[in-house]
Amino acid sequence: MKIVIPGGSGQVGAILDRALTAAGHDVVVLTRRPAREREVRWDGETPGPWAREIDGSDIVVNLAGRSVNCRYTAANLKAMMDSRVRSTRAVGEAIAAAARPPRVWLQMSTATVYAHRFDAPNDEATGVLGGTEPGVPGYWARSVEIAKAWEREQERAETPHTRKVALRTAMVMSPDRGGVFDVLLRMARLGLGGPIAGGAQYVSWIHDRDFVRAVEFLAGRDDLAGPVNLAAPDPLPQRAFMRALRAAWGVRVGLPATRWMAELGAFALRSDTELLLKSRRVVPGRLLEAGFAFEHARWPEAAGDLVRRVRGGSGVTGRLVRDPCSFDRDSALDDR
């Protein structure tokens, strides 16, 4: 099959590219800065020669959008919104204009669309969308607005011959350098992997191989459309999440961090504390109902597998996500 991945030059794109190419598929990555074979230039906004790659393809997996791993300034929030909406609109227009449109359009979305909560998990049927929760910083609502606008743009696209799925994705854990697991493991190895602000906030995640398998599963299921949560069925509090990661590596101590310490750390890293403090308790209701079986459903086992791969040098790409606020790279530290 021919699979086109707009914005596929980052961590998640590299994961998909490796796996799908190894499976024998013809994978084309649309990027602003093509540097390798099978990469095609696009600007993520306007029609162009890149649209020829979509015409006649089988599957489009759109990952484009500026990383959320930035300080949430007004300018960065606007760039996050514009890059997601405009790139999704451009992909939709290319599919609509295609003589032979793809049969499925898998559109990246994010688990952050759900509310910050501790009391119950969020699935697609009963989950609470965020933006109005009390007791959280007001600017957190902007992330939810961006997520909603991202999904809405795909919904609006007139692509009657192409099934559309919004991938509400949690953090994708892989051993890739510069990825979220790499960052968290480095913190644990330095003794900094303790609870943050008490550590009660839930962490949702998905193992990289289950992410790929879920994408393949959704591409092959003609009866599934609309939002689908891509997250392991075992979200857990941040303190337990990091405890399991420390145990997998063999680190005994993880120093705790207060909220203000997290603020200082996020500022130094040019990131934002929402990525650390928002409780994302997301479960894969539709995947489980459809019969998808996770190979790595529980975090301690998944962390052990990832640690073994890091130590063995297996599955690690040489591609780094160098610019934390780059446009067409799917984010290594995206909460998804």
Side-chain angles (χ1 to χ4, degrees):
M1 291 190 298
K2 181 178 181 180
I3 302 171
V4 181
I5 309 179
S9 57
Q11 180 212 6
V12 177
I15 291 166
L16 281 177
D17 188 0
R18 281 198 304 266
L20 297 173
T21 300
H25 300 296
D26 176 16
V27 179
V28 175
V29 171
L30 304 183
T31 173
R32 284 186 167 220
R33 293 175 291 275
R36 305 180 308 135
E37 187 180 2
R38 299 182 296 107
E39 291 185 344
V40 173
R41 187 181 305 277
W42 81 324
D43 65 2
E45 295 187 25
T46 55
W50 59 266
R52 291 196 293 265
E53 301 294 339
I54 287 179
D55 195 343
S57 67
D58 298 285
I59 301 169
V60 172
V61 187
N62 184 23
L63 305 176
R66 183 168 183 168
S67 170
V68 302
N69 185 32
C70 298
R71 297 298 294 172
Y72 282 11
T73 64
N76 282 341
L77 286 167
K78 183 178 187 301
M80 292 176 207
M81 174 73 84
D82 290 348
S83 65
R84 282 159 173 72
V85 170
R86 291 173 182 172
S87 59
T88 303
R89 183 180 304 145
V91 169
E93 290 173 350
I95 293 174
R100 294 178 297 159
R103 58 182 177 80
V104 61
W105 170 13
L106 304 178
Q107 171 64 46
M108 183 60 80
S109 182
T110 170
T112 207
V113 73
Y114 292 108
H116 168 81
R117 66 189 300 198
F118 303 89
D119 59 327
N122 290 302
D123 65 13
E124 300 91 338
T126 64
V128 178
L129 298 186
T132 60
E133 356 18 350
V136 302
Y139 73 90
W140 284 14
R142 286 287 290 151
S143 295
V144 177
E145 291 171 10
I146 292 168
K148 291 178 179 177
W150 205 3
E151 292 186 3
R152 190 162 54 241
E153 196 62 38
Q154 187 196 29
E155 292 170 4
R156 289 175 175 169
E158 297 183 4
T159 58
H161 303 294
T162 301
R163 178 169 53 91
K164 297 182 288 188
V165 181
L167 309 175
R168 290 180 175 173
T169 309
M171 291 188 295
V172 181
M173 299 292 176
S174 82
D176 297 86
R177 288 180 294 161
V180 62
F181 182 77
D182 183 41
V183 173
L184 294 173
L185 182 60
R186 190 180 310 125
M187 291 175 61
R189 293 171 66 181
L190 292 172
L192 303 176
I196 297 175
Q201 65 273 28
Y202 276 80
V203 178
S204 288
W205 58 277
I206 186 169
H207 189 282
D208 63 337
R209 290 173 176 166
D210 278 334
F211 175 80
V212 172
R213 293 178 58 248
V215 166
E216 293 173 329
F217 182 84
L218 291 168
R221 285 291 297 260
D222 292 338
D223 57 330
L224 290 174
V228 176
N229 293 346
L230 267 60
D234 184 35
L236 65 172
Q238 186 265 342
R239 57 176 173 263
F241 181 91
M242 292 305 296
R243 186 187 307 121
L245 179 54
R246 295 197 309 269
W249 189 264
V251 177
R252 293 185 178 183
V253 178
L255 296 177
T258 62
R259 184 179 291 266
W260 70 264
M261 291 169 68
E263 290 281 1
L264 287 176
F267 182 80
L269 293 170
R270 293 186 298 157
S271 187
D272 198 276
T273 53
E274 186 201 35
L275 302 176
L276 301 172
L277 300 178
K278 182 171 180 177
S279 184
R280 296 171 174 83
R281 193 175 179 184
V282 179
V283 293
R286 296 191 69 193
L287 278 178
L288 293 176
E289 290 172 2
F292 181 79
F294 284 83
E295 290 183 353
H296 302 278
R298 300 290 177 260
W299 176 240
E301 178 274 329
D305 174 78
L306 292 165
V307 162
R308 286 190 294 273
R309 289 165 64 193
V310 168
R311 285 178 162 152
S314 172
V316 181
T317 180
R319 282 199 274 163
L320 297 175
V321 180
R322 300 183 185 277
D323 181 356
C325 286
S326 60
F327 168 71
D328 69 344
R329 294 177 182 268
D330 52 275
S331 169
L333 295 180
D334 202 334
D335 58 285
R336 296 293 186 207

